[in-house]
Amino acid sequence: MVMAPRKHREREMLFDSVIALVFILVACVDLCDGATVVDVYRLIQYDMSGVPFGSRLASLNHHAASLHFSPHTDLSRTVLLIPLRELNMSFVKEYIAESKPLGGLIFLLPRMFSFENKDGMGSNNQDESKEPLRNVLAELEQILIHANLPYPVYFAFEDDNIDAVLADIKKNDVTGQPATATTGGYKFVVSAAEPRKVVSPPITNIQGWLAGLKTDDDAHQLPTIAIVASYDTFGAAPALSVGSDSNGSGIVALLEVARLFSLLYSNPKTRGQYNLLFGLTSGGPYNYNGTRKWLWSFDQRMRESIDYAICLDSIGSWENELWIHVSKPPENAFIKKIVEDFSSVAEELGFKVNLKHKKINISNPRVAWEHEQFSRLRVTAATLSELSTAPELLEKTGGLVDSRHFVNEATIVRSVKLIAESLARHIYGHQGKNIQIFADNTNLAVNPSYVRSWLDVLSQTPRVAPFLAKDDPFVMALKKELEDHTDEVNLHRDVLEGVFTFYDSTRAKLNIYQVASVTFDLLLLLVLGSYLIVLFSFLVITTRGLDDLISLFRRPPSRKVKTA
Amino acid sequence: MTVFHFFNCAILTFGPHAVYYSATPLSEYDTLGTSIKAAVVYLATALVKLICLATFLKVSESDSFDPYQEILKALIGFIDVAGLYFALTQLTHRNISQNHKFQAVGLGWAFADSVLHRLAPLWVGARGLEFTWDYILQGLEANANLVLSISLAALGSLMWLRKNKPKTLIPIIYLSAVIVATMPSITSYLRRGLGWHFPKVVGFELFTSLVMAFISWQLFAACQRPSV
């Protein structure tokens, strides 16, 4: 009688401590420890005039399969892991065109497209093995940008971990067992919040002013030459759109030209009678929206004082031809002069500069070249580019393929020489004379290491305008660099307007889990159950004898009576 | 699905203890109190052991096998034996036979060990999405540990509680007890000194536990014979 309450209390205490232990354990559980964690970059999600494009989802929790899946399987709950090297374009087109249901897509890019990978950087772009991959990726990028995909699409880079996973998945698929909830395999999990709209994406234009020398103090304003490059990018993966060529090369060339002329203008003897205006504009991929805003912010006199504007666009991977794109007819006196300056310098440097005339259609909202924004405001302008034809909207805007591997800094150095020398001829009036101001091995020579270091920085900095913060370190770095070379630097801030709406969540972590199937767990339960039953029977037989075991099954109530 | 897996592993880890209790006469004589007392003694012993380990052992940066440290660890491991001695001799049990006493103590001992060492990793690990064999192996290890604990308790009861045992068997009893008591150090040596993998270590543990159980059973039976 005395024992019973004590025992009761003992049991209660045990329960209490067990519950406390469980609570402590639950508190320190961290469930997100996958076997492999991979950085993934999401396909851009945007609306154009309200029409949705890109990947419309961010979170992912599905089993993985490779391209070797057996036909006629339902893939609506499966993530396809596709290495770019094995990509079958017709498959992608088929799936996207027919909008077949998929659980998700993950594209594995070769390491050479990663901006963290530096080996072999700046090597010549003649490498045959890279060229086909590059073309495939460029085609894929355009398809993905212009498709509406109702599932998450991510990009990742090949590495040892994910290659091993891929090999395993392929092995599974070849045996004809697609991974589903019942057969195990790999599970890919990206836990990301629902993508939200980027509210009023900021654009920041940076302008630097290098004042010319006034000879006499008459009120007459000095003419201005503008050198402009758009600095932002657009691509299938915003977090990977570094745009080394479009328009990293233009930014680098602009900075180097600014540096060279700041040397010249620091000495009153060599200061030219032209003001120089350096403009780094944002919103380039969206019909040069930032350039437009920037130009409209000028007052009328300022705009009229611009003699001409040179826009730099993609000048980092050409062979022996550059193009000057204009919208005024080539017979125009100003245009003629610009072209003459450039082509004569180019001839001396041993390559060709061609002129291409494309009329502006005012009613068409598409602005293919940056100079067209100037021309629309009746400012003489030209674009220097390696592209012979105008790119389409959202094409050649520094996307996935535009990596450092395909840009050669020697080419940019040549472009810089051309630009600086042509400008100098115009400013100092040396037309027709063979004078090299920026000759090699002088203190005015183009500095290749400066070009290279800026190119490297740009090739590691994704800069899709809506995802650049207002005071992004990158914008501040550009501003500071221009401040070093020019007298006055201003930031012109505005909001990206137009038909585009962007959604955030551009990068995420992919957790890869190796999971067992439900069948396996059921089987395990069966095995364990029989193990325990066998163990029970064995123990009963050895300690109490076989009869006891049999009686246990035969007359269970008898035991109850006994214990009670 | 993963809760399912956790459930499976929990059955494997803790099921045999329950089965042992209910299948053997332990349940008929209601020795649960003894088992709980043994478990409490185990917890106290584990605390003392932890304090000793923290006091005397350096934290090794590398995962290598340092003999001096391991010997120290093995010596500290003998605190277990002291705890078991206390549980077997000092605790006042209700009138249960020696036969059941050592079983109850061994069972409580092993169960407390499983709860302390395996429940937390199981809870954290087996519920995750990632599948590994580790928790199943860990459950098997718990089974081996149960057998070893009961063997050790049996040998301990032979050493400390039984007075009239054959003289010739005494050295064998002591030798077996030492072997069983040093099992943690031996497995630790296999794992880190020889670099055995977990499945192999668990296999070894299962095998040795069965062998030791057989030996101690034989010894127990041999001691039983003249007295009965």
Side-chain angles (χ1 to χ4, degrees):
Chain A
M1 288 308 269
V2 187
M3 286 309 281
R6 219 188 102 202
K7 214 166 82 185
H8 188 70
R9 213 186 310 135
E10 237 169 33
R11 280 209 179 132
E12 216 172 47
M13 266 171 64
L14 186 75
F15 272 125
D16 279 354
S17 55
V18 164
I19 288 168
L21 194 69
V22 165
F23 270 118
I24 292 165
L25 289 172
V26 170
C28 48
V29 163
D30 181 31
L31 278 176
C32 264
D33 50 342
T36 315
V37 181
V38 183
D39 280 312
V40 287
Y41 308 92
R42 197 164 81 94
L43 176 67
I44 194 158
Q45 177 181 356
Y46 67 101
D47 299 340
M48 196 158 49
S49 321
V51 182
F53 285 105
S55 163
R56 308 305 294 184
L57 272 180
S59 63
L60 179 73
N61 189 346
H62 287 309
H63 284 271
S66 71
L67 271 184
H68 301 275
F69 63 89
S70 45
H72 314 301
T73 44
D74 177 26
L75 292 177
S76 59
R77 294 189 53 77
T78 304
V79 191
L80 280 183
L81 183 64
I82 306 176
L84 186 71
R85 296 178 198 278
E86 299 165 19
L87 181 66
N88 184 351
M89 223 20 128
S90 57
F91 163 80
V92 174
K93 278 179 186 156
E94 182 194 324
Y95 261 82
I96 289 169
E98 297 178 20
S99 57
K100 287 193 184 173
L102 271 179
L105 269 176
I106 294 177
F107 291 101
L108 270 187
L109 307 180
R111 284 218 68 82
M112 66 165 169
F113 292 107
S114 159
F115 50 80
E116 278 150 13
N117 171 31
K118 280 190 169 180
D119 12 296
M121 248 192 188
S123 62
N124 226 341
N125 51 357
Q126 302 300 309
D127 199 334
E128 270 84 19
S129 64
K130 292 178 184 173
E131 209 54 35
L133 272 182
R134 192 189 176 196
N135 295 336
V136 167
L137 185 58
E139 196 184 339
L140 176 70
E141 185 169 21
Q142 286 302 313
I143 291 175
L144 290 177
I145 283 176
H146 293 108
N148 175 10
L149 307 168
Y151 40 82
V153 180
Y154 282 98
F155 296 93
F157 290 107
E158 288 173 350
D159 67 7
D160 294 341
N161 288 335
I162 203 159
D163 282 350
V165 170
L166 180 66
D168 263 9
I169 293 173
K170 274 184 192 163
K171 218 166 37 185
N172 271 5
D173 285 350
V174 165
T175 55
Q177 283 198 332
T180 56
T182 48
T183 54
Y186 283 94
K187 197 157 203 187
F188 284 15
V189 178
V190 174
S191 38
E194 177 93 356
R196 278 171 311 177
K197 276 183 188 172
V198 179
V199 188
S200 55
I203 47 175
T204 311
N205 299 309
I206 309 159
Q207 85 177 46
W209 182 262
L210 203 54
L213 185 69
K214 286 190 181 182
T215 38
D216 37 28
D217 34 13
D218 61 334
H220 202 70
Q221 215 177 346
L222 285 179
T224 304
I225 297 175
I227 298 111
V228 187
S230 105
Y231 70 82
D232 68 327
T233 58
F234 179 91
L240 296 176
S241 302
V242 293
S244 301
D245 194 10
S246 313
N247 191 17
S249 59
I251 304 167
V252 174
L254 183 137
L255 291 176
E256 177 65 359
V257 168
R259 192 185 69 84
L260 292 174
F261 277 93
S262 78
L263 292 176
L264 281 173
Y265 272 49
S266 61
N267 187 343
K269 282 182 191 164
T270 52
R271 189 186 283 187
Q273 291 181 356
Y274 281 88
N275 299 319
L276 291 179
L277 174 64
F278 296 96
L280 287 166
T281 59
S282 184
Y286 324 109
N287 292 325
Y288 296 99
N289 193 282
T291 316
R292 192 182 121 87
K293 294 265 169 73
W294 183 51
L295 288 177
W296 277 97
S297 75
F298 290 171
D299 62 42
Q300 183 70 18
R301 272 178 57 198
M302 169 72 202
R303 264 205 308 262
E304 276 170 4
S305 81
I306 296 177
D307 207 14
Y308 69 85
I310 284 288
C311 307
L312 310 176
D313 179 32
S314 315
I315 47 173
S317 58
W318 47 280
E319 290 295 306
N320 41 30
E321 261 192 337
L322 271 177
W323 296 83
I324 289 182
H325 298 272
V326 294
S327 14
K328 287 186 180 176
E331 297 80 41
N332 183 302
F334 289 101
I335 300 290
K336 244 183 183 168
K337 204 165 165 228
I338 298 170
V339 174
E340 258 169 36
D341 284 347
F342 273 88
S343 48
S344 68
V345 174
E347 225 164 84
E348 283 158 28
L349 292 172
F351 54 87
K352 248 178 87 182
V353 171
N354 304 316
L355 183 73
K356 193 128 188 189
H357 172 222
K358 174 178 165 287
K359 267 192 186 164
I360 300 178
N361 181 0
I362 297 285
S363 61
N364 186 351
R366 170 70 185 141
V367 180
W369 297 110
E370 190 165 18
H371 74 260
E372 292 180 7
Q373 290 289 13
F374 287 85
S375 299
R376 282 172 187 234
L377 291 172
R378 306 189 185 291
V379 179
T380 308
T383 297
L384 186 70
S385 173
E386 73 206 5
L387 308 172
S388 59
T389 50
E392 292 298 314
L393 182 64
L394 303 183
E395 194 194 354
K396 303 256 181 208
T397 48
L400 280 177
V401 278
D402 201 345
S403 78
R404 177 73 176 82
H405 286 274
F406 304 105
V407 177
N408 193 342
E409 68 237 20
T411 315
I412 298 182
V413 168
R414 281 205 295 174
S415 309
V416 172
K417 262 187 201 165
L418 170 72
I419 299 156
E421 205 74 48
S422 315
L423 286 174
R425 286 197 187 179
H426 189 88
I427 291 167
Y428 301 110
H430 291 308
Q431 279 100 342
K433 296 172 213 163
N434 190 356
I435 298 170
Q436 275 214 357
I437 294 174
F438 304 102
D440 293 341
N441 302 323
T442 62
N443 60 346
L444 284 177
V446 178
N447 186 347
S449 57
Y450 180 84
V451 169
R452 190 184 316 119
S453 54
W454 264 101
L455 191 61
D456 286 347
V457 169
L458 292 169
S459 304
Q460 292 168 35
T461 319
R463 20 176 224 285
V464 177
F467 304 111
L468 281 180
K470 218 172 179 187
D471 288 311
D472 200 86
F474 172 72
V475 176
M476 291 299 126
L478 281 183
K479 181 184 173 223
K480 190 173 173 305
E481 191 62 28
L482 266 187
E483 266 168 359
D484 286 350
H485 302 322
T486 57
D487 304 333
E488 196 191 328
V489 172
N490 294 311
L491 289 186
H492 169 245
R493 295 182 195 281
D494 212 317
V495 173
L496 183 66
E497 262 174 27
V499 296
F500 288 93
T501 314
F502 294 89
Y503 295 81
D504 64 0
S505 163
T506 60
R507 54 173 77 211
K509 297 251 183 247
L510 170 70
N511 291 294
I512 301 177
Y513 300 98
Q514 189 167 23
V515 291
S517 60
V518 171
T519 352
F520 174 81
D521 274 334
L522 274 173
L523 216 69
L524 187 65
L525 183 67
L526 223 67
V527 169
L528 290 177
S530 37
Y531 163 64
L532 290 187
I533 288 169
V534 167
L535 189 68
F536 183 84
S537 315
F538 173 75
L539 286 173
V540 169
I541 290 167
T542 47
T543 55
R544 302 191 221 165
L546 187 61
D547 298 338
D548 219 14
L549 180 70
I550 294 166
S551 67
L552 213 62
F553 288 105
R554 195 167 289 162
R555 278 181 296 142
S558 72
R559 245 187 95 217
K560 234 181 211 171
V561 171
K562 213 161 91 188
T563 46
Chain B
M1 190 188 106
T2 49
V3 177
F4 194 1
H5 189 63
F6 167 75
F7 181 65
N8 276 343
C9 291
I11 286 180
L12 184 56
T13 312
F14 302 110
H17 301 80
V19 165
Y20 192 95
Y21 181 77
S22 58
T24 53
L26 291 181
S27 53
E28 278 178 20
Y29 293 96
D30 201 16
T31 54
L32 191 66
T34 313
S35 291
I36 289 173
K37 273 182 202 157
V40 171
V41 173
Y42 177 84
L43 288 179
T45 314
L47 195 69
V48 173
K49 242 167 86 177
L50 269 183
I51 292 167
C52 288
L53 285 172
T55 315
F56 298 116
L57 235 62
K58 287 182 293 182
V59 179
S60 67
E61 285 85 18
S62 60
D63 210 28
S64 63
F65 187 84
D66 181 358
Y68 172 70
Q69 295 280 316
E70 285 302 324
I71 287 169
L72 210 60
K73 228 188 257 179
L75 284 177
I76 292 169
F78 273 99
I79 293 174
D80 269 346
V81 180
L84 208 57
Y85 174 77
F86 181 80
L88 279 172
T89 58
Q90 302 301 307
L91 285 183
T92 49
H93 299 289
R94 282 183 298 135
N95 307 322
I96 58 173
S97 71
Q98 272 184 25
N99 233 338
H100 297 144
K101 189 180 191 177
F102 84 84
Q103 287 182 47
V105 167
L107 189 63
W109 196 263
F111 188 73
D113 179 73
S114 276
V115 168
L116 210 61
H117 285 113
R118 301 193 173 84
L119 186 62
L122 196 64
W123 178 261
V124 173
R127 286 191 330 147
L129 275 175
E130 176 78 12
F131 171 78
T132 56
W133 288 98
D134 284 7
Y135 300 104
I136 296 171
L137 292 174
Q138 192 185 291
L140 290 174
E141 202 182 20
N143 288 352
N145 200 52
L146 169 67
V147 176
L148 279 176
S149 294
I150 293 175
S151 306
L152 189 59
L155 293 168
S157 80
L158 282 184
M159 284 190 289
W160 301 313
L161 298 180
R162 192 166 294 265
K163 298 289 177 277
N164 52 343
K165 50 201 168 208
K167 285 273 182 291
T168 46
L169 288 180
I170 291 174
I172 304 175
I173 292 171
Y174 275 83
L175 182 70
S176 311
V178 166
I179 291 174
V180 175
T182 48
M183 270 315 279
S185 301
I186 293 170
T187 50
S188 156
Y189 172 71
L190 289 178
R191 200 176 299 181
R192 291 196 278 158
L194 299 183
W196 280 21
H197 290 297
F198 198 39
K200 214 170 160 187
V201 173
V202 172
F204 173 79
E205 275 178 282
L206 282 175
F207 175 71
T208 41
S209 68
L210 287 178
V211 170
M212 293 319 292
F214 182 73
I215 291 171
S216 32
W217 180 43
Q218 289 300 322
L219 284 172
F220 204 83
C223 292
Q224 201 93 322
R225 223 170 289 132
S227 69
V228 173

